[in-house]
Every structure is written in C-alpha cells, then in structure tokens.
C-alpha cells in the first residue's frame, strides 16, 4: 500500500443504509454515477430487511465500477459459509467485492444461534480466526483448478484443490472448531478479497495487521480525524490502507444542516455539519492523510444529491480524488497487487 505522499489522490466510499432510499438499485447507481469508489452496507438488524451481504449481492450485477463491501459478522456466523458467500459476491460483482469484518458484543445474536455471548478480548480472537479461515478457503482452489476436460469427463483437476486444515489455537477463548476444506466454490476473481476492519480491532494482541488490507479510523470530532489517521498509520505500518470515517449532515434543498433534527444515536464517528463547500475543504485535507474516506450521510437521497453536484466534482478538480476506473477490481482501488495462492507457490509467506 502506497502512502498518501506517494499518490495524493484518494478514494471515497459511501454507506448506503442511511434513511431516505427504499430502492437499493437507485441508491447504488446514484452513488456510482456520482463517482464514489465503494458502497458499503451495514449489517445492523432491521425488521423486514435482508442482510448486508445479500444487499451487496443485489447491487453487484447492476453496477460496473463501484466496489460493493458488506459488513459481515465474525462471531456468530459460520466462517466456512461466510467465505463461500463472499467468494460468490466477488463473482457476481466482477471482482469488486470486499469484506468489512465486524466483531461486537451481541447477547441477542448469541441467543439467536444458541451460543454464549462473546465479549472482551475473545471478540478479536473470533475475528482473527474467521479471517484466517476465509483466506485459506479462498486459496484452496488454484486459479486453474477448473479444467472442463470433456475427453476424460473431469470438471476439475483434483490436484489443484487443497485442504485448508484450520484449527483454532489452544488459547482460543470460545468454543474451538476446525475447518478442513477445500471450499465449495472456485477461487474468487480477485484471488483474495480485500479485508477491512475497525482500527480498534487490529494490532498487537488483537487481529494481526497482516491479516487485513485496510482499517476504518474514527475520532470524536472532524478536527481530530487527521491526527488519528496519522497515529494509526504509524502504529500499523504503510502496508495497511487507512480509511477515515465521517458522518455528514449537509445543507441541502434550501434547509440548513444545523436546523435539521439530528439523531441522538451515538455512532462513535466524527460528525460534520455544514455546507458542501466546507465539507469539500475538510475532505481535501483528510485525503492528504488518509487513503480514503467513508461518508455516512444523515439523509441519503438529499446527501447524495449535494455530494454529486458540489463536493465530488470539486475534489476531482483539485486533484484530491482519483477518477473511477471501469472494470477495475477492489484490490486495484486499494493498490494491492495480484494475490498469490499460498498453496500454489513456494514463495515464502502467503499474500493477503
């Protein structure tokens, strides 16, 4: 991952689960048309709504350039199924899928699957194990494992399928498990989907930094975000992309942002309230420090309109925002090279 000094232009992601959009196709196409590089999907339970991975799978085939990146829990989901579902998402999106790893205390989720609630340091253990299972399973098929040999009646070359052979470590706090493999789906188009996690979940004694490709960075106020980005980059190193998190309440449609009724919900993210011009200046400065910024508009349809008309064009004019590239992958966006297969190469170490 290059530093922001090596390549000034950054990228913008947008969370699509804000209020105001009932039509997911309309939302993701509007975000793509505006020039956003990635759309993310939260997995907060809501009655009558499909989960984040399913919504991302719907958005993938209707778009061409925007990455589709769902949150997927690592604590109360089966790692094998998560891995195969994410691999399928990579196929339906043409190599534009990613994974935002979540690991939060949730007694309700634990009760729903008949498990004891996981908390504290055990959450990071669950996340690290799930990521490792996913990465091993994605590599369990070599890229050319599918041969479709009509003469011999073979669809795959079994010598190019590999066991994942994962077992939780002896100090694992939760119920131990093992995953044999191989996967039930060929290797994803990207080889390895980019994996993203909150910066607070990554580091010594937590999820290893080399297990993720990017981290999400939050701060109490917009003014503190740039310093927090620098601190996280210094702690985790240049190989991990850093994405700043920002709630956005914009003046729009003749209504001042400050006059709108704001949610009392505590998100843990910095919140910007004001004009598109001031937001542009803030993002311009943030993109000098971070590789990207993820925006969380308070009202999605109105926010997207202002962002597409006034903010993104000006950032591109200033050279702070890179242009979207049609038919590129999410790995391309993050500056990641081709993903080596740990089972198919003798090179030391496995590529992420």
């Amino acid at each position: 991952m290059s530093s922001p000094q090596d390549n000034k232009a950054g990228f913008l992601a947008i969370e699509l689960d804000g209020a105001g959009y009932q039509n997911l196709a309309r939302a993701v196409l509007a975000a793509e048309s505006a020039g956003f590089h990635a759309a993310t999907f939260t997995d907060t339970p809501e009655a009558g709504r499909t989960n984040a991975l399913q919504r991302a799978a719907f958005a993938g085939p209707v778009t061409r350039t925007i990455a589709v990146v769902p949150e997927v829990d690592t604590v109360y989901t089966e790692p094998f199924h998560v891995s195969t579902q994410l691999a399928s998402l990579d196929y339906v999106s043409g190599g534009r899928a990613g994974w935002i790893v979540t690991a939060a205390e949730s007694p309700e989720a634990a009760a729903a699957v008949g498990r004891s609630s996981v908390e504290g340091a055990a959450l990071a253990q669950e996340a690290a194990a799930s990521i490792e299972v996913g990465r091993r399973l994605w590599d369990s098929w070599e890229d050319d494992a599918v041969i479709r040999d009509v003469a011999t009646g073979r669809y795959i070359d079994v010598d190019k399928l590999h066991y994942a052979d994962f077992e939780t470590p002896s100090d694992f706090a939760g119920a131990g498990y093992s995953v044999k493999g191989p996967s039930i789906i060929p290797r994803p188009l990207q080889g390895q989907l980019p994996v993203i996690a909150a910066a607070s979940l990554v580091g010594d004694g937590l999820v290893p930094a080399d297990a993720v490709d990017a981290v999400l960075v939050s701060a109490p106020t917009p003014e503190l975000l740039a310093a927090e980005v620098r601190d996280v980059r210094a702690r985790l190193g240049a190989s991990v992309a850093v994405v700043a998190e920002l709630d956005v309440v914009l003046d729009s449609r003749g209504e001042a942002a400050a006059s709108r009724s704001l949610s009392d919900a505590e998100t843990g993210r910095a919140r910007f309230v004001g004009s598109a011009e001031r937001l542009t200046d803030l993002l311009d400065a943030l993109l000098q420090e971070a590789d990207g910024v993820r925006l969380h508009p308070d009202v999605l349809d109105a926010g997207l309109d202002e962002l597409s008309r006034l903010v993104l064009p000006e950032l591109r004019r200033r050279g702070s925002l890179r242009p979207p590239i049609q038919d590129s992958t999410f790995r391309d966006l993050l500056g990641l090279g081709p993903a080596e297969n740990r089972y198919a190469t003798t090179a030391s170490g496995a590529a992420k």
Side-chain angles (χ1 to χ4, degrees), residues 101-144:
V101 168
T102 60
E105 295 182 19
S106 177
E108 298 81 9
V113 296
R115 281 193 57 184
S116 300
S117 182
V118 179
E119 55 189 29
L123 292 168
Q125 279 191 323
E126 294 275 359
S130 188
I131 293 169
E132 179 64 15
V133 169
R135 291 198 181 281
R136 290 193 189 194
L137 288 171
W138 292 335
D139 278 348
S140 66
W141 289 54
E142 295 186 33
D143 290 326
D144 54 353

Side-chain angles (χ1 to χ4, degrees), residues 167-331:
E167 292 188 8
T168 49
S170 58
D171 62 349
F172 197 70
Y177 63 87
S178 62
V179 176
K180 187 67 176 177
S183 180
I184 58 174
I185 186 172
R187 196 172 191 232
L189 294 178
Q190 296 180 93
Q192 290 281 324
L193 277 66
V195 176
I196 305 168
S200 59
L201 194 62
V202 179
D204 294 339
L206 302 169
V207 175
D210 61 3
V212 301
D213 301 293
V215 292
L216 301 170
V217 175
S218 301
T221 67
E223 294 75 17
L224 296 175
L225 255 181
E228 187 65 21
V229 167
R230 289 192 292 271
D231 288 348
V232 169
R233 197 183 294 281
R235 176 169 66 88
L236 299 182
S239 64
V240 178
V242 178
V243 182
E245 294 268 65
L246 186 66
D247 287 346
V248 174
V249 185
L250 277 178
D251 300 340
S252 65
R253 301 176 182 177
E255 184 180 26
S259 70
R260 291 210 297 274
S261 176
L262 303 180
S263 170
D264 293 329
E266 178 56 52
T267 67
R269 298 183 293 265
R271 169 173 282 178
F272 170 87
V273 180
S275 67
E277 181 180 6
R278 286 180 50 225
L279 176 62
T280 302
D281 291 339
L282 173 62
L283 292 176
D284 190 18
L286 280 175
L287 289 170
Q288 308 307 308
E289 303 290 347
D291 298 285
V293 179
R294 179 166 70 148
L295 304 181
H296 300 256
D298 68 322
V299 179
L300 189 57
D301 54 353
L304 257 177
D305 182 54
E306 298 296 312
L307 291 165
S308 64
R309 290 191 307 107
L310 302 174
V311 177
L312 274 72
E314 177 60 18
L315 288 173
R316 283 192 288 268
R317 189 192 68 80
R318 297 184 188 186
S320 303
L321 193 66
R322 68 182 74 169
I325 301 175
Q326 189 166 309
D327 298 325
S328 64
T329 69
F330 192 27
R331 290 185 67 88

